[in-house]
């Protein structure tokens, strides 16, 4: 399964692509879409949409993950993050990719094990998990990869089917019996 | 000139279309895109984009106007307005229509003459200006028409070319000379 994680913004939009199969995590690509050279918001939004569509066509991700509920420093920047997120989601929908949204706390918890982890801790764990300790990621790239990793762990986590009783549960999940 | 005004939201997106030519204002169409029956934000965003694209294909507007800097009651609703605005702008860009953004104060000032006008005053003036006093507009329709009217008045307002001196100015704009 190939997962595209996106950290959208109207100044910089980060992306990270990982492969997750047979319980192994593999780095595929990462980068930023720089938008500061475009004057108007509409042209920035068009560029985010076009670039993400291009990335989707190249790497053919099966899943798309985005951070939700992260808010800007003030209401203007929150609104702009909203613009960028809206068109990012649309690029995913138009390319028929399932979208998932995670809160910053969920991403931190999945990657570091602690919802209140610092940006540095997240960056360190992204490098460790992807076996890329020597690479220097930009913050937006690191965040995008963390979102993709969070989605991989969510896919990995077993979802137990509802069992009618202990007997049925033990038959379905023998590995859960200790000793 | 045909102007499409849009009041975007993830629950309801209002639109209003007017014609402005030879200094005359004419109502063309108005309506709402209802989104509450869609469960997910991505499917709502897709519907806003698709419906606005459909409206653009039918009415072929020359200009697209949207309200900016209006914020929701709280940060979550502000973010959602951002999503809706982002995909609305994209629908306009993808259909090669020039977009303009106006603040709520600019819209009120253009339509009522007062930046602090009430919603009711705006609604009343929209009806009066479009000669549609008997029609009952929904709030999102009225707001979308007000945005379109604001854009028409902006187009109407004379923009004086820079003149090198009074002589040149008087030659270019003889109607500005009093008495």
């Amino acid at each position: 399964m190939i997962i595209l994680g996106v950290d959208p913004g109207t100044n910089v939009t980060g992306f990270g692509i990982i492969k997750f199969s047979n319980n192994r995590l593999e780095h595929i690509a990462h980068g930023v879409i720089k938008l500061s050279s475009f004057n108007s918001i509409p042209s920035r939004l068009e560029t985010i949409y076009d670039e993400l569509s291009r990335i989707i066509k190249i790497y053919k991700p099966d899943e798309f993950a985005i951070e939700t509920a992260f808010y800007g420093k003030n209401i203007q920047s929150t609104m702009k993050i909203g613009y960028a997120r809206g068109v990012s989601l649309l690029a995913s929908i138009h390319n028929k990719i399932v979208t998932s949204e995670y809160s910053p706390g969920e991403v931190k918890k999945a990657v570091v094990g602690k919802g209140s982890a610092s940006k540095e801790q997240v960056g360190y764990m992204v490098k460790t998990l992807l076996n890329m300790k020597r690479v220097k990621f930009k913050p937006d790239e690191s965040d995008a990869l963390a979102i993709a990793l969070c989605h991989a762990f969510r896919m990995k986590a077993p979802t137990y089917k509802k069992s009618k009783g202990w007997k049925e549960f033990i038959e379905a999940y023998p590995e859960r019996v200790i000793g």
Side-chain angles (χ1 to χ4, degrees), chain A:
Chain A
M1 180 199 287
I2 292 170
I3 303 165
L4 166 59
V6 175
D7 182 20
T10 50
N11 287 324
V12 178
T13 286
F15 67 92
I17 302 158
I18 62 168
K19 191 175 171 181
F20 178 59
S21 63
N22 298 326
N23 239 356
R24 275 194 63 230
L25 293 163
E26 196 186 325
H27 169 271
I28 303 279
H30 65 270
V32 289
I33 305 167
K34 285 182 191 171
L35 301 151
S36 47
S37 64
F38 296 92
N39 283 328
S40 78
I41 290 289
S43 60
R44 291 181 187 207
L45 299 181
E46 190 181 20
T47 307
I48 295 170
Y49 179 91
D50 288 350
E51 283 299 297
L52 287 182
S53 299
R54 199 178 59 81
I55 290 159
I56 289 167
K57 279 187 181 66
I58 297 171
Y59 297 103
K60 298 179 181 59
D62 305 288
E63 306 261 339
F64 176 100
I66 202 166
E67 215 174 60
T68 187
F70 169 77
Y71 304 113
K73 280 176 197 154
N74 55 49
I75 204 142
Q76 279 90 346
S77 60
T78 299
M79 186 56 95
K80 281 182 190 164
I81 293 171
Y83 287 15
R85 236 178 245 171
V87 298
S88 301
L89 284 169
L90 203 67
S92 163
I93 300 159
H94 281 173
N95 286 286
K96 311 220 179 303
I97 305 171
V98 179
T99 61
S100 300
E101 294 173 78
Y102 297 102
S103 75
E106 283 176 302
V107 174
K108 285 175 181 177
K109 187 146 186 113
V111 176
V112 185
K114 208 170 77 176
S116 60
S118 70
K119 249 184 150 39
E120 290 69 33
Q121 284 176 299
V122 172
Y124 176 82
M125 281 309 292
V126 165
K127 286 184 180 186
T128 307
L129 288 164
L130 294 173
N131 207 9
M132 295 186 81
K133 286 204 178 170
R134 288 183 191 177
V135 181
K136 210 169 151 38
F137 294 118
K138 292 193 182 88
D140 300 277
E141 293 168 343
S142 188
D143 285 351
L145 286 167
I147 297 160
L149 285 167
C150 171
H151 187 63
F153 293 139
R154 279 296 172 98
M155 297 287 104
K156 195 183 163 185
T159 48
Y160 299 112
K161 271 189 246 158
K162 254 193 180 166
S163 304
K164 278 176 193 156
W166 279 112
K167 207 184 152 214
E168 206 184 300
F169 183 86
I170 289 162
E171 273 165 13
Y173 307 102
E175 77 282 4
R176 297 284 290 165
V177 182
I178 303 162

